[in-house]
Amino acid sequence: MAEKSCWSRWQFQRVFSHFTGQTVAQYIREIRLSRAAELLLCSRRTQLDIALECGFDSEVSFSRSFRHMFHCTPGQYRRRGKRAGLKTPIVSLPLTDLSGHKPGGISQLKGLEEHRLLQIRVESQPEKQVQGVAGRIQGIFAEQPDFSAKVPQIWQKLSERLAKKHSLTDRSAMQALGVLDTSSLSSGDTSIDYWACISSDQHEPLTLLDSLVIPEQEYAVIPFSGPAGLIDNTLQWFICHWLPTSGYRGINRFDLEVYPSGFIADGQHLEMEYWVPVAPE
């Protein structure tokens, strides 16, 4: 790999760690183990056969590494039958839209690179109950998208209702979730119910908010950190480029926007994960 990069091994390790936050060895091990976890679920092959195919020299070393990454044995993972913690290869995402143009505002961002690295993982999410407020929006593929104007209004409505019962300190500790009901898209309707929510698992039900149950589902998880204007570009790339070659297919159910505790929507910078429902091809 260092040879292909035209750097020395030391330089390659240093650059790789700088841009990915992990060592080359750690990255390769996680990709091999993720491949092994997928084979455990979709095949009847023995653990030894899977270990050897995925680059381990023995079942013992494979099991030890597997437990370290997934916190369970390969056998337990297979019996559970749910994808969780699977890492996919890092990809280079161009910061341009599908027409080849940079999204609005990018030219004003000094020093922004033309590409950024992204690693998508696959996770299972159990049934989850949330509370929030909802509104109808037109999504990124609608003829006249209006989500950039309407979504902040829905979050503002949630904030106003929470302010009637909770202090600013309480609100900053809540888990914020955006939920997009995409089930109607299969019928050709481009309108989406968008929910600005908090998790009901952590708080007492509030009469000021509506409740929503999100069923158990497997998701492709897209990490995002950066200018809010790039989220559309990232989702378009995921749907049109990553998904068709991933071995998974998208499902129109509930997309999730998972925000860290203390998230404040300022319309400029986002720290989030976007969870897209998927199933194996």
Side-chain angles (χ1 to χ4, degrees), residues 31-253:
I31 295 299
R32 286 176 173 172
L33 288 168
S34 295
R35 170 62 179 158
E38 181 66 38
L39 289 172
L40 286 169
L41 297 182
C42 69
S43 77
R44 292 175 167 268
R45 299 174 61 180
T46 66
Q47 292 184 29
L48 178 58
D49 285 344
I50 292 173
L52 296 176
E53 177 173 325
C54 294
F56 295 89
D57 55 12
S58 71
E59 189 173 354
V60 173
S61 64
F62 167 62
S63 295
R64 183 170 58 247
S65 296
F66 195 95
R67 283 197 303 271
H68 181 75
M69 179 172 174
F70 295 105
H71 309 293
C72 66
T73 67
Q76 290 169 333
Y77 195 96
R78 172 173 265 171
R79 287 191 293 273
R80 192 166 58 193
K82 297 178 181 178
R83 290 168 180 80
L86 300 188
K87 300 289 187 68
T88 65
I90 292 173
V91 293
S92 177
L93 171 61
L95 298 182
T96 55
D97 61 25
L98 296 183
S99 65
H101 297 96
K102 291 183 179 180
I106 293 302
S107 59
Q108 284 76 39
L109 298 175
K110 295 181 179 179
L112 190 64
E113 298 176 357
E114 296 294 324
H115 293 73
R116 62 188 180 93
L117 300 179
L118 193 64
Q119 186 174 32
I120 293 170
R121 69 182 193 275
V122 179
E123 298 279 3
S124 293
Q125 172 76 43
E127 182 180 287
K128 189 177 187 67
Q129 183 167 350
V130 297
Q131 285 190 291
V133 295
R136 296 286 280 180
I137 66 170
Q138 294 289 329
I140 59 175
F141 291 109
E143 288 187 9
Q144 295 182 325
D146 60 8
F147 60 91
S148 60
K150 287 192 174 180
V151 167
Q153 295 172 5
I154 299 171
W155 280 103
Q156 180 61 32
K157 187 183 296 184
L158 174 66
S159 180
E160 290 170 356
R161 293 192 184 181
L162 290 176
K164 296 178 180 180
K165 291 286 186 179
H166 294 273
S167 67
L168 181 60
T169 302
D170 291 338
R171 299 200 302 274
S172 66
M174 293 178 176
Q175 172 69 64
L177 294 167
V179 182
L180 294 88
D181 182 357
T182 63
S183 57
S184 62
L185 294 180
S186 57
S187 63
D189 186 1
T190 58
S191 296
I192 299 171
D193 282 329
Y194 182 94
W195 290 70
C197 303
I198 58 170
S199 174
S200 298
D201 302 336
Q202 300 170 318
H203 305 281
E204 292 294 324
L206 298 174
T207 56
L208 295 172
L209 303 179
D210 297 319
S211 295
L212 175 68
V213 175
I214 303 170
E216 181 178 3
Q217 178 63 52
E218 288 183 346
Y219 292 87
V221 182
I222 310 165
F224 183 86
S225 176
L230 288 182
I231 187 63
D232 306 348
N233 163 252
T234 302
L235 293 178
Q236 287 183 20
W237 166 85
F238 170 83
I239 293 169
C240 298
H241 296 282
W242 188 87
L243 199 56
T245 59
S246 67
Y248 296 93
R249 56 186 174 86
I251 299 176
N252 290 332
R253 290 187 183 169

